[in-house]
Amino acid sequence: GVGAARAGNLTFMVGGVEQEFDAAKELLTCMGSNVVYCGAVGTGQAAKICNNMLLAISMIGTAEAMNLGIRF
């Protein structure tokens, strides 16, 4: 989010040629505290999608539990 970006605490999940990742890693560490090489092209996006899906499932579960609790 915006707060993490301002604080330089972003996480970058990167896919692509490993030598190109190594060349870009120094620049990415200026913007984020976690830089993870995920593998071939597209794997960084796949990891981000999985991370976002898990976050959404957690948020939905919390909202449903709160709703159920309120109704009881």
Side-chain angles (χ1 to χ4, degrees):
V2 175
R6 286 189 179 135
N9 293 328
L10 294 174
T11 295
F12 291 96
M13 292 169 261
V14 183
V17 178
E18 192 166 4
Q19 292 80 12
E20 292 175 3
F21 166 75
D22 292 335
K25 186 175 181 180
E26 184 177 347
L27 177 63
L28 294 173
T29 56
C30 292
M31 298 181 285
S33 57
N34 298 309
V35 181
V36 180
Y37 179 67
C38 297
V41 172
T43 56
Q45 288 178 325
K48 175 74 172 165
I49 289 168
C50 292
N51 187 48
N52 285 351
M53 183 170 57
L54 185 59
L55 176 61
I57 290 167
S58 176
M59 291 174 66
I60 291 166
T62 300
E64 289 295 333
M66 290 295 296
N67 187 34
L68 184 62
I70 289 167
R71 289 176 187 260
F72 282 147

